[in-house]
Amino acid sequence: MKVAELIIDGFKSYATRTVISEWDPQFNAITGLNGSGKSNILDAICFVLGISSMSTVRASNLQDLIYKRGQAGVTKASVTIVFDNSDKSKAPIGFETSLTISVTRQIVLGGTSKYLINGHRAPQQSVLHLFQSVQLNINNPNFLIMQGKITKVLNMKPTEILALIEEAAGTKMFEDRREKAIRTMAKKETKLQENRTLLKEEIEPKLEKLRLEKRTFLDFQETQTDLEETDRVVNAYDYHRLKSQKELFKETLSSKENKIKDLNSQISKLAEELESLNEDFEEIRKKKNAEMDKNSNLSKLEEEENEIINETSKLNVLLKICSDNYKENVNKIQIHKKIIEDSSMELAKKADVYKKSKEDYKTLNDQLDTLKDLHKKKEDLLSTLSTGISSTGLTDGGYEAQLGKAKKSLNGYKISIKKSNMKIDLLRKELENNKPKLIQAEKENEVNIQNIKDCESNCSKLEADIANYGYDPKLIGELKRKENEIQQILYKLNNENEYLRRKVSNVDFSYSNPEPNFDPKSVKGVAARLFTIDKQNYDSATALQVCAGGRLYNVVVDNETTASKLLEKGRLRKRVTIIPLNKISARTIDNNTLNYAKQLAPGKVELALNLIGYEDEVAKALQFIFGSSLICNDAETAKKITFNPKIRTRSITLDGDVYDPEGTLSGGSRTNTSSILVDIQKYNESTEKINNYQNELKSIRKKLSEQEDIYKQTKELQNQLSLLNHKLEISKRNFGSNPASQVLKRNKDIQEEILICEKENETSYENSNALEKEIQSITKDLNEFNNDKGSKLKELKAEVEKLSKEIETKDRHLDDKTELFQTLELETEQHNTDIETNTELVKQAEDTLKELKIEEDSLIDSIKEQKNKLETVRAYLTKERKRLFDIDEETKDLERLLKSKHQLKNDNEIELQQLEHELKKFKNDSTNIEELIRRLIEENEWLNDDKLVEGVIGQHRGINLEEQRERAKQLRVRFDKMKVKVNTNIMSMIESVEKKEAALITMIKTIEKDKVKIQDTITKLNEYKRDTLIKTWKKVTVDFGNIFADLLPNSFAKLVPSEGKDITEGLEVKIKLGKLWKESLVELSGGQRSLIALSLIMALLQFRPAPMYILDEVDAALDLSHTQNIGHLIKTRFKGSQFIVVSLKEGMFNNANRVFRTRFQDGTSVVSIM
């Protein structure tokens, strides 16, 4: 990548746009007088390359780079450098396809800077990456050699010269990484020492102390556990004893309370009976007195008998009135019907007269209108002929105008007739021409009709043939409809079933086959799924659930072998209890006991097993679960059955309360949700429905499949039928649109059009004849008027007068006709009104008849009812008369009954007082026991769980309770002593410290491993650095000697390590002039020292050449011959790089391939090619 063109605009001394082109790809020189702007070209190149150091471009800030700092009207500075990129092997990354690359940098007054690459804006980082990819390191510009750099090289110490070699070799990176690794290792060592100190001085002593406390705490926990276990056993026994006493007292109290309740009930009942008997006795006595005094009841019955007789008489009168009204309405209906009939007859008679009168009236009215029009016309004609203006003010009412109008109308009719005749001729010609086509069309039409009939016949035959195979399209449609309905039902049922399945998911049992040939029928399932409950027994579901208890979820299998296989290899997801049918011993209540229980509580007790339905193969399992319990309707029945000496069987109420013959009772509040058994039954029903519907769906699909098979068998016939149907449809569609049909249709249309034209001609002929007569009349009148105007006017006047008189006559006749017509019209309307009115009256009378008929039937029923009442009252009268004889005997019986009831009441009251005294004593004892139980439960809440209490007692049967009490006291004393000294949080504390210890040990090990790795890295870096440094030194020192020998013949130079030191500690320059090695550079002249510095710089540049080098007056301290040698050196040794050299000496730019000269003109710099 070589510089091809440089464009400077507004940069430093270049005020206007200056284009410097035709750069040589190897050696370019820039010369000119001091201050002419030659170094500004180098500054411009450094500026566009992105060098950020202001000292490099000899400025203090960016504003200094703008021509005269922007005070001469130039407000921005821009530099563009164009590179030749034709050598693709050395092209920058990403620009391999570009022949040229242009980079522009522009600054605006105020400090804003921007970069462009190939005309597109780019960030500075992109520009840096572009140049770095071709070995132009902008951040460390070794390709840029200014005058001051030579002076620096001359004054360098051995370590600084070594740094130049390291920089050329690129080992600076190794040094940075080594220093970074050393710093990291130092930090790791510090952290390692900190962790070891923390572990040794803090963690380990603290952990030892905590472990000692932990042993004490574990001993304390063991004591606490023993104490709790002992207290649990003692409290369980005490609680069980007190609860048993409480239940016994409760039962006794309940028995005595029930007895007291019964006694109170009997006493209350006896008191009520005595009160009732006294009232009855008093009432009988009063009755007796009343009957004896007034015989009142008998009198009431007799009065009631008289009232019934009177009521019956009234009803008979009303019935007679109703019958009379019925007859009267029947007569009214006949009269109204007669009026309707007469009116209809009269209307029929006058209908013809009315019709004729109406026609006469209309005819006369039309004639009068015609006469009036003619009168008006004649009057207008007379007025026009007399005055020139008609009576309406128009001037076209004369004979001439009338004649013109008539002729115009006549001409119109004649033209219409001609058109119609022409149309008729054309249509008849078309008919004549179409005759052959018509005959052919009729034949074709008959053929088409026959084809359609043949197609229909063939379709019917094919349909019959397909039907003989059993294929029925209607059946398929019906089956598909049913299939869709069942699929919808199944979708709903599956959703419901899924909901129920989730509710009963805890009774699911899933397993994997324990062996390859395992028989799944050997696993019957969960007990809850093996029986059914009738809907009428759903109220017993809760009781059955309580009866089964945990056994409801047991799994039933055929034998113990299956059970073992399932437990060992069935991969069960939860713990289960398995019931092998061949091992369980099922026990059921014997029939005698069950029958006796049913006799004690008829209809209120039943064996739990009898309330469910099940298969015979699982009978033993269900007998095992439900065979030994009774289900009772209520608590009273349960108590009666359970504690009966002849029964003594566990009973459960419908509410789920359990009564055990051992004396224990359990129950209490239950949730309002339905029993799990009901949910299971619903789930089973839903599953059964789904199975039924699925079977039905299979049947339907089977039928559809059969029809599909038949369809395949008749596929050829179906295709033929489909083809024939298609042909038939096309034939019917084409029947009306084929040419033959079109010809027939056209023939029919022509005939209809001819008839229409002939009718129009007839009308036109009639109108033409009338108009011709009118024209003749008007012509005659016109001639007469022209010949004798006065006579014609008189004649017209006479005609007008005659018409006026005729109109008057007609008006009078019309008035007469109008009067007759209106009279007949009124009479007709009157008759119609009479018919409608009487029809409505007939309807009302018929409705009244219906009401009267209903009323009559009601009265007849009431009379029958009164007769029945009369018979009943008379029967009571007979009975009452007999009762009077029985009152005395009844009074005596009541007196005896009152005496016996008084005696029984007194006995019950005495027994009640004794029971109340005993009950009070039992209540006090029961209260004391309840208080003891309450205290125990407050101290030990677990006692609320009866199963837990029973479990504790079951585990410690046969123990010495007093020994346990004594042991508990001793453990309590020991526990209290230890409690003061024990740290209860020791476990969490020691766990935290142990975790911290483990973390520190892990961290120390990790740090030690990291240190070893870092040390290895440092060793490797030192080795890499030394090898690279030696290779670079050897190459540079050889090039250094050769270059110096070229610049100063018969001389030699080399780089050697400092005396007694390694190469990595520094390098010194050794010079040989002739055959003599110089001890120091001080012995050399200024020019020789400059040549040494330049030789070293050139050797370093040659080690890793860049595509471009910029040298600014590096030959300033050299004489002409040495300058000539440097120019020759650049030209011969650096052929792969492009040099841009600023020099004032001919020895330098005479060797250059391209020389640019700068000069100062009109305040700005100008560049030209020499």
Side-chain angles (χ1 to χ4, degrees), residues 323-416:
S323 298
D324 293 341
N325 288 336
Y326 186 85
K327 291 175 182 177
E328 184 180 348
N329 275 283
V330 170
N331 292 332
K332 281 182 180 178
I333 288 170
Q334 292 175 352
I335 291 167
H336 290 313
K337 285 184 177 179
K338 184 71 171 66
I339 292 170
I340 291 168
E341 186 179 352
D342 293 343
S343 296
S344 298
M345 290 175 65
E346 191 67 27
L347 189 63
K349 286 179 183 178
K350 292 185 178 181
D352 295 335
V353 178
Y354 172 69
K355 184 177 180 182
K356 188 176 183 307
S357 174
K358 187 175 182 181
E359 290 174 355
D360 292 345
Y361 168 75
K362 187 177 180 183
T363 303
L364 190 58
N365 195 33
D366 292 341
Q367 290 175 357
L368 183 61
D369 290 340
T370 304
L371 285 172
K372 284 180 178 180
D373 290 339
L374 184 59
H375 176 268
K376 187 175 182 302
K377 192 175 180 182
K378 293 289 185 181
E379 194 174 25
D380 288 343
L381 178 61
L382 178 62
S383 176
T384 303
L385 293 173
S386 302
T387 62
I389 299 172
S390 69
S391 59
T392 57
L394 300 173
T395 59
D396 57 352
Y399 284 124
E400 294 290 344
Q402 288 181 3
L403 186 61
K405 287 179 182 178
K407 285 181 178 179
K408 187 177 180 182
S409 298
L410 179 61
N411 189 41
Y413 282 119
K414 286 180 179 179
I415 291 167
S416 176

Side-chain angles (χ1 to χ4, degrees), residues 547 589 606-609 625-631 649-650 652:
C547 174
I589 299 171
E606 185 57 82
L607 181 65
L609 190 66
I625 296 170
F626 296 106
S628 58
S629 298
L630 296 171
I631 306 299
T649 300
R650 180 170 173 261
I652 300 103

Side-chain angles (χ1 to χ4, degrees), residues 413-530:
Y413 282 119
K414 286 180 179 179
I415 291 167
S416 176
I417 290 167
K418 285 181 182 179
K419 286 181 179 179
S420 296
N421 288 332
M422 287 172 67
K423 189 175 181 181
I424 289 168
D425 292 340
L426 289 170
L427 291 171
R428 282 175 178 166
K429 284 180 183 178
E430 189 177 349
L431 274 178
E432 191 65 28
N433 293 332
N434 287 344
K435 272 185 181 180
K437 292 182 181 178
L438 184 62
I439 294 167
Q440 184 65 29
E442 287 175 349
K443 290 179 181 178
E444 288 180 5
N445 202 42
E446 289 175 2
V447 171
N448 289 335
I449 291 170
Q450 187 60 40
N451 287 338
I452 290 170
K453 288 180 179 178
D454 292 343
C455 281
E456 289 176 345
S457 174
N458 291 333
C459 286
S460 300
K461 286 179 182 178
L462 282 172
E463 286 172 354
D465 291 342
I466 291 168
N468 290 335
Y469 278 96
Y471 183 75
D472 189 353
K474 292 182 180 178
L475 176 63
I476 290 173
E478 182 65 23
L479 289 173
K480 285 185 177 179
R481 184 185 62 76
K482 284 185 179 179
E483 183 183 26
N484 289 333
E485 288 178 359
I486 291 172
Q487 283 176 342
Q488 291 175 3
I489 293 168
L490 278 173
Y491 175 75
K492 292 179 181 177
L493 285 174
N494 282 325
N495 288 340
E496 294 173 4
N497 188 263
E498 181 61 23
Y499 168 72
L500 290 169
R501 189 189 66 75
R502 287 197 294 270
K503 287 185 74 175
V504 300
S505 58
N506 57 339
V507 298
D508 282 344
F509 175 65
S510 58
Y511 64 93
S512 300
N513 286 342
E515 57 188 20
N517 298 322
F518 183 75
D519 184 10
K521 292 182 180 179
S522 61
V523 181
K524 309 303 178 184
V526 180
R529 303 285 293 274
L530 298 178

Side-chain angles (χ1 to χ4, degrees), residues 499-508 526-533 538-553 574 626 670-685:
Y499 168 72
L500 290 169
R501 189 189 66 75
R502 287 197 294 270
K503 287 185 74 175
V504 300
S505 58
N506 57 339
V507 298
D508 282 344
V526 180
R529 303 285 293 274
L530 298 178
F531 61 88
T532 59
I533 305 174
Y538 274 5
D539 56 349
S540 305
T542 302
L544 289 168
Q545 184 177 341
V546 173
C547 174
R551 293 176 180 175
L552 196 65
Y553 305 102
K574 58 183 179 181
F626 296 106
R670 293 192 178 273
T671 59
N672 294 325
T673 55
S674 62
S675 168
I676 185 70
L677 294 180
V678 175
D679 291 335
I680 291 170
Q681 300 308 310
K682 290 179 180 177
Y683 175 67
N684 291 339
E685 289 173 7

Side-chain angles (χ1 to χ4, degrees), residues 1067-1112:
L1067 292 172
E1068 292 180 347
V1069 177
K1070 291 293 183 181
I1071 303 300
K1072 177 183 176 184
L1073 295 177
K1075 295 182 179 181
L1076 183 65
W1077 287 95
K1078 298 293 182 181
E1079 294 295 329
S1080 172
L1081 295 179
V1082 180
E1083 299 177 19
L1084 303 177
S1085 66
Q1088 289 173 335
R1089 292 172 65 191
S1090 296
L1091 285 175
I1092 290 169
L1094 274 170
S1095 299
L1096 181 57
I1097 291 169
M1098 291 293 186
L1100 291 170
L1101 294 179
Q1102 195 172 8
F1103 177 74
R1104 191 169 290 169
M1108 178 177 68
Y1109 290 106
I1110 299 171
L1111 283 67
D1112 186 13

Side-chain angles (χ1 to χ4, degrees), residues 572-591:
L572 305 181
R573 298 180 182 176
K574 58 183 179 181
R575 292 181 63 83
V576 294
T577 301
I578 299 179
I579 301 175
L581 288 171
N582 67 329
K583 288 293 181 181
I584 56 170
S585 57
R587 186 182 70 84
T588 58
I589 299 171
D590 62 89
N591 290 331

